[in-house]
Amino acid sequence: MSKPFYITTPIYYVNARPHIGHAYTTIACDTIARRQRMLGFDTYFLTGTDEHGQKIERAAQAAGTDPQKFADEVSAQFRGLWQRMGITNDDYIRTTEERHKKGVGELFRRIRDKGYIYKGTYTGQYCVSEELYVDGLKPGDPCPTCGRITETVQEENYFFKLSAFQDKLLELYNSQPDFIRPETRRNEVISFVKSGLRDLSVSRSTFQWGIPVPDDPKHVIYVWLDALSNYITALGYGSDDTTKYKKYWPAEVQMIGKEIVRFHCVYWPAFLMAAEIPLPKAIVAHGWLLFEENKMSKSRGNIVRAETILDVLGNDALRYFLLREIVFGQDGSFSFDALVQRYNADLANGLGNLASRTLTMINRYFKGEVPFPSQRAARKAGDDVIAEQAEKAIKECKALFDQYQFSRGLEAAWALVGAVDKYIVENEPWALGEKQDEESRARLATVLYTSAEALRIVTALAHPVIPEATAKIWAQLGLDGIAKFDLSTLKWGQLQLGSKLGKVEPVFPRADKKAIERMQEMEDQQRGGVVTDAQPGVPEKTAAATPSAEAAKPEAAKPAATVSSDGKITIDDFAKVDLRVAQVKVAERVKGADKLLRLEVDLGYETRQILAGIAEAYAPETLIGRKVVIVANLAPRKMRGLESNGMIVAASLEGGKPVLASFLEEVPLGARLK
Ligand code: MSP
């Protein structure tokens, strides 16, 4: 019986469509899962979507739809993307599924029965965007994590006795130093826990979109307790069939982004300890994918979609770039230039070129059969150097991949590609091929065998990262079923002499400058079009269901609202304008534009940048904290090189002086005017 290996991604919120930040985590986990399968582990890989909570409820409201429908659409986009990317997840959990709800209810009940849940009253600040209770803030203070204004919550809640687990958690971090990786995150968590843990509110009663508390359905379970449970409910915890749960839990690796370390390294083990459930072996946190120096995220509007890269360069290019370019655990930048550069250098000119020149020459000079290397006379020291380099690559790759150091592992494998390239240039097999004497033939056989064997080894090592191209190269080498190859047996000299090559075809065509332009254009079109983050919270209805040409058409190109001859519009026409309440967080003058202010406004579910021609009427500092009305679904526009995502509504007085629309009563952020 092979050893079980359970690996999970975070479950992604359905308020945003997938982008390459999400893909990064999923690709890293997929790579680990593929490698573990090749090493003979009974691997189980889980991903899914997080669909409850106030943030999703509000995003659905903003999109004018009900939360379930909203979640269905976005969850399907995530699932569709993973399918397109060939992600090998064994299950896909959605927190709105019955199996999950049942398991969460069971976990809540169990923790309560053990005496760790009690009723009390919570008064404090809550960040809806992070779905996080924040201690020590006053009403109106921003969330220290994301900067959005927190909301005051005062309600009767169920509390979890987190304070009872402070010592147990510290003991856990101490006795299992690998529980939190990397070290920097571990240290952060330890100091957070040492600073003191307050009991945690684990229910909400002021909104509905969640799983009801067992026996008290006025409350819904706190979305993080709900979400974290997915890791066991997907295995059947709380259901009639617990076979998978018994087999795969505890997880070997739970991969997360660094911003959710506290939830996974403090709350999650505490919940499990309370329920007397075994703890996962390791929580591994990676860094952020940055775009233009900021975390790539929907609210910043700086996302890049995976689909664009898949369309232009393919799946392997995205996977290779993310794992090779970013030092795992640290933040790393994404740019189309760097992507294409890396693709050309390592894949097109590197592995792709090595494969095509080696295999083409075997075809030409040895009728497509792996040649027999010379045993004695025609050997040179360089041949053995390649064999040693290959053994070194195998060893280093193993050690580094075991530690999830993907970039260094790939570097070690590609050192072999570089060495073989050099070896081929030095030995000039094309010149040897022109000669007919026995020694030249023997030398040629050795050089091509050595190159092909090194190619086989790099291909096997790289398979978990670039599964598509390596499967093709493997078949071109005349081998079958790379995914089934037992990676633990990989060593120099396994290539079958005399075996027949498969059909040789290029795997990585070179990309030119146009590839960068195409990708940039595709992304610009997305941002400026109907399906855009400029209309946050609106699920990408069109992308999967209708032809993309229609989906990509800018709003401006769509037929305008019909105006009747008396100048009246219908209520439906009016409803197309999405007017919302927002709060000014940042206001500053725009250099060289006397009338223009650059504002950052908070809509409750996201923050966005708007340029407003009100600088002559309002000093920027007087606007901070002020609630305004914005047109939230206006197509983005560039002014002075800055993108404006919406418009502030103001009365226009004589002489053009604007007076901002405002309210006498208190109004929540994001509220719609209709
Ligand atoms: N729903 C919660 C997680 C619950 S897990 C029980 C959540 N969802 S999320 O969609 O906001 O983000 C989840 C994860 O997506 C991050 O932890 C990270 O793994 C990945 N990423 C999202 N944006 C990313 C980057 N810009 N860079 C790297 N990873 C990113 O939090």
Side-chain angles (χ1 to χ4, degrees):
M1 274 278 283
S2 51
K3 238 182 121 205
F5 185 98
Y6 180 35
I7 177 165
T8 63
T9 72
I11 47 169
Y12 304 108
Y13 280 133
V14 289
N15 69 318
R17 61 188 183 173
H19 56 70
I20 58 170
H22 305 113
Y24 178 48
T25 320
T26 306
I27 288 171
C29 289
D30 186 60
T31 297
I32 297 173
R34 285 176 183 268
R35 181 165 174 270
Q36 290 304 122
R37 288 191 198 102
M38 285 179 88
L39 289 170
F41 285 83
D42 176 358
T43 306
Y44 200 77
F45 169 21
L46 176 71
T47 188
T49 40
D50 186 354
E51 307 183 3
H52 287 131
Q54 209 164 5
K55 166 163 146 156
I56 307 298
E57 191 182 67
R58 285 192 186 166
Q61 267 164 11
T65 179
D66 78 84
Q68 186 62 61
K69 221 173 129 229
F70 182 82
D72 288 347
E73 288 186 36
V74 184
S75 183
Q77 285 176 31
F78 273 94
R79 193 195 290 244
L81 177 62
W82 304 149
Q83 270 165 4
R84 179 169 176 204
M85 285 171 55
I87 299 299
T88 58
N89 54 303
D90 296 283
D91 195 357
Y92 185 88
I93 180 98
R94 299 184 53 191
T95 55
T96 50
E97 284 172 295
E98 273 319 308
R99 58 171 176 158
H100 174 74
K101 293 186 199 167
K102 201 164 164 234
V104 173
E106 177 58 30
L107 182 67
F108 190 96
R109 205 175 274 123
R110 197 173 153 103
I111 299 176
R112 192 175 57 193
D113 290 350
K114 303 262 174 208
Y116 290 110
I117 286 180
Y118 62 93
K119 223 174 190 178
T121 302
Y122 179 82
T123 307
Q125 298 308 115
Y126 190 79
C127 172
V128 175
S129 175
E130 304 290 315
E131 297 281 16
L132 173 70
Y133 296 93
V134 198
D135 290 336
L137 296 187
K138 297 185 302 309
D141 279 351
C143 165
T145 311
C146 70
R148 291 183 182 80
I149 305 296
T150 53
E151 295 180 20
T152 308
V153 172
Q154 185 167 33
E155 55 188 65
E156 191 186 49
N157 286 152
Y158 285 95
F159 281 83
F160 171 68
K161 280 192 195 165
L162 184 62
S163 55
F165 292 91
Q166 181 162 349
D167 293 342
K168 289 192 188 91
L169 286 167
L170 290 171
E171 204 180 294
L172 162 72
Y173 311 143
N174 224 349
S175 62
Q176 287 182 45
D178 268 354
F179 180 72
I180 306 170
R181 288 190 236 173
E183 186 73 18
T184 43
R185 305 287 158 236
R186 177 172 178 263
N187 295 338
E188 279 167 22
V189 171
I190 292 179
S191 63
F192 172 76
V193 174
K194 276 193 177 155
S195 73
L197 293 179
R198 299 227 323 230
D199 288 352
L200 179 72
S201 169
V202 285
S203 74
R204 300 290 311 272
S205 58
T206 47
F207 69 98
Q208 292 296 307
W209 186 237
I211 301 174
V213 165
D215 315 315
D216 196 353
K218 280 203 309 295
H219 297 255
V220 293
I221 295 175
Y222 174 40
V223 64
W224 271 100
L225 173 52
D226 167 346
L228 288 161
S229 314
N230 89 87
Y231 302 131
I232 53 175
T233 61
L235 296 179
Y237 174 84
S239 79
D240 298 335
D241 182 1
T242 53
T243 327
K244 282 195 194 123
Y245 174 67
K246 286 191 187 122
K247 185 164 170 194
Y248 294 112
W249 189 258
E252 209 71 30
V253 183
Q254 301 215 260
M255 181 80 72
I256 56 169
K258 66 178 182 182
E259 77 290 353
I260 51 176
V261 161
R262 188 191 307 176
F263 301 100
H264 283 80
C265 301
V266 182
Y267 299 171
W268 180 224
F271 293 149
L272 293 172
M273 284 174 182
E276 293 173 15
I277 292 175
L279 308 183
K281 307 270 178 57
I283 308 286
V284 179
H286 62 66
W288 285 340
L289 202 54
L290 312 175
F291 192 63
E292 289 156 1
E293 299 188 6
N294 281 312
K295 180 184 178 216
M296 192 176 286
S297 78
K298 172 195 153 73
S299 49
R300 287 197 180 83
N302 64 347
I303 61 155
V304 173
R305 297 167 329 122
E307 291 86 337
T308 295
I309 299 162
L310 303 185
D311 282 351
V312 177
L313 294 177
N315 215 347
D316 286 346
L318 174 62
R319 294 173 70 103
Y320 183 81
F321 177 81
L322 293 177
L323 295 188
R324 173 64 185 86
E325 195 83 3
I326 300 169
V327 177
F328 204 69
Q330 296 177 15
D331 292 351
S333 289
F334 177 85
S335 78
F336 289 118
D337 283 18
L339 169 68
V340 168
Q341 208 178 340
R342 184 57 85 181
Y343 171 85
N344 278 334
D346 291 10
L347 298 180
N349 299 340
L351 181 63
N353 188 40
L354 172 63
S356 94
R357 75 207 298 207
T358 304
L359 301 176
T360 307
M361 283 191 280
I362 294 180
N363 263 345
R364 185 175 309 145
Y365 303 126
F366 294 96
K367 299 204 187 76
E369 283 173 14
V370 174
F372 286 57
S374 159
Q375 295 305 315
R376 271 171 281 115
R379 284 198 76 76
K380 284 194 178 168
D383 308 335
D384 296 332
V385 170
I386 295 298
E388 283 156 23
Q389 282 266 2
E391 292 292 353
K392 187 166 165 250
I394 295 170
K395 216 168 116 214
E396 289 184 359
C397 230
K398 176 176 168 17
L400 293 162
F401 271 72
D402 278 349
Q403 292 300 316
Y404 313 124
Q405 288 297 318
F406 305 108
S407 61
R408 292 178 56 207
L410 289 171
E411 204 179 345
W414 257 253
L416 181 58
V417 175
V420 184
D421 265 343
K422 201 163 147 251
Y423 169 80
I424 292 178
V425 170
E426 281 167 6
N427 284 283
E428 299 186 324
W430 44 86
L432 293 169
E434 297 309 308
K435 299 182 186 152
Q436 296 307 324
D437 63 289
E438 211 172 295
E439 201 189 322
S440 298
R441 282 296 288 175
R443 191 71 214 125
L444 179 62
T446 303
V447 172
L448 290 183
Y449 168 81
T450 305
S451 308
E453 176 57 349
L455 171 66
R456 184 188 68 91
I457 286 175
V458 178
T459 304
L461 292 174
H463 178 65
V465 180
I466 44 172
E468 290 175 6
T470 47
K472 286 186 195 151
I473 298 174
W474 199 253
Q476 294 182 19
L477 277 162
L479 306 165
D480 48 37
I482 188 167
K484 295 250 159 18
F485 175 74
D486 181 352
L487 198 56
S488 65
T489 65
L490 183 66
K491 61 171 197 221
W492 184 264
Q494 291 167 320
L495 189 59
Q496 284 282 315
L497 304 180
S499 63
K500 190 97 186 95
L501 297 189
K503 187 162 181 255
V504 176
E505 273 166 342
V507 283
F508 292 118
R510 249 190 89 81
D512 57 18
K513 264 223 151 88
K514 285 209 189 85
I516 303 179
E517 285 162 20
R518 265 182 72 201
M519 289 188 283
Q520 251 149 7
E521 267 165 28
M522 284 164 88
E523 284 304 295
D524 288 348
Q525 203 178 25
Q526 282 289 328
R527 289 192 191 124
V530 178
V531 184
T532 161
D533 268 25
Q535 294 171 50
V538 182
E540 194 177 347
K541 288 190 190 114
T542 41
T546 58
S548 56
E550 183 59 29
K553 235 190 237 172
E555 188 68 32
K558 300 226 151 186
T562 40
V563 180
S564 67
S565 54
D566 57 2
K568 300 224 162 61
I569 59 167
T570 67
I571 187 78
D572 290 343
D573 291 332
F574 173 68
K576 287 184 181 144
V577 185
D578 190 20
L579 292 168
R580 288 192 187 263
V581 178
Q583 185 170 43
V584 179
K585 281 177 55 199
V586 176
E588 58 191 26
R589 295 188 188 280
V590 175
K591 242 198 195 153
D594 297 345
K595 292 193 174 154
L596 224 48
L597 288 186
R598 189 188 78 84
L599 308 176
E600 281 176 34
V601 301
D602 184 6
L603 277 155
Y605 50 86
E606 71 154 51
T607 305
R608 54 165 88 176
Q609 171 170 286
I610 293 182
L611 299 174
I614 55 173
E616 288 171 338
Y618 291 93
E621 58 280 7
T622 61
L623 293 172
I624 312 278
R626 179 160 176 169
K627 284 188 178 158
V628 292
V629 175
I630 73 162
V631 181
N633 61 343
L634 206 59
R637 229 183 106 191
K638 272 213 165 158
M639 292 179 239
R640 305 267 165 178
L642 296 167
E643 191 169 276
S644 182
N645 284 292
M647 192 177 98
I648 309 273
V649 176
S652 183
L653 304 191
E654 237 174 90
K657 182 177 180 282
V659 176
L660 296 178
S662 53
F663 296 91
L664 292 175
E665 284 93 356
E666 205 31 53
V667 277
L669 301 187
R672 187 157 185 196
L673 281 77
K674 42 190 178 181

